[in-house]
């Protein structure tokens, strides 16, 4: 009987640990999709999507580019909480986000007189909890 009870308790604990690992530690502030229009001779200075740490402790968010259809002629860059990079890189990580702190991913686009449209999507997740992820989408049209 004691062995059954111990096995049952261990099973319960394993389920509770598994559930705890998938509990969200961050959320998207507002919409996870930004739709922007810009004149082909102008520039999109910034399009930003914010995320917030909703856990009780610090987290480290990681992101990866999962889709990018921006025209090759466009000059693009992106910024994340803690750094900016030329172009749309394959991925990186935020600096530490403390509890209740916000971070962001942002893009900048200079269409260079080239009309068209494109979409870039980033998958973002907590390094300690990769099972829970969100996709942040930027849709840009140059007219």
């Amino acid at each position: 009987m004691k062995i059954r009870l111990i096995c049952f308790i261990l099973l319960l604990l394993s389920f509770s640990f598994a559930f705890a690992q998938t509990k969200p530690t961050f959320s998207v502030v507002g919409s996870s999709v930004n739709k922007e229009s810009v004149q082909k001779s102008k520039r999109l200075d910034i399009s930003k999507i914010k995320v917030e740490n909703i856990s009780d402790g610090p987290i480290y968010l990681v992101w990866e580019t999962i889709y990018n259809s921006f025209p090759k002629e466009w000059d693009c860059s992106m910024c994340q909480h803690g750094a900016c990079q030329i172009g749309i890189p394959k991925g990186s990580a935020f600096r530490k986000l403390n509890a209740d702190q916000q971070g962001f991913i942002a893009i900048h686009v200079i269409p260079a007189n080239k009309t068209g449209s494109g979409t870039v999507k980033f998958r973002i997740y907590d390094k300690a909890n990769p099972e829970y992820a969100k996709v942040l989408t930027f849709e840009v049209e140059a007219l």
Side-chain angles (χ1 to χ4, degrees), residues 78-111:
M78 67 90 59
C79 294
Q80 67 190 30
H81 179 71
C84 289
Q85 299 160 30
I86 296 172
I88 306 294
K90 293 185 184 221
S92 189
F94 283 26
R95 286 185 305 184
K96 175 176 68 172
L97 278 180
N98 291 313
D100 295 325
Q101 187 177 9
Q102 289 186 354
F104 63 89
I105 287 183
I107 61 164
H108 313 273
V109 177
I110 302 172

Side-chain angles (χ1 to χ4, degrees), residues 28 31-36 47-49 66-67 70 105 107 118-123 134-140:
V28 176
S31 177
S32 63
V33 178
N34 275 7
K35 295 182 180 188
E36 306 282 359
S47 181
K48 183 186 295 187
I49 298 176
I66 57 172
Y67 180 78
F70 283 172
I105 287 183
I107 61 164
T119 300
V120 64
K121 295 182 179 204
F122 303 101
R123 179 180 178 268
K134 291 289 185 181
V135 174
L136 308 182
T137 303
F138 295 87
E139 298 174 359
V140 180

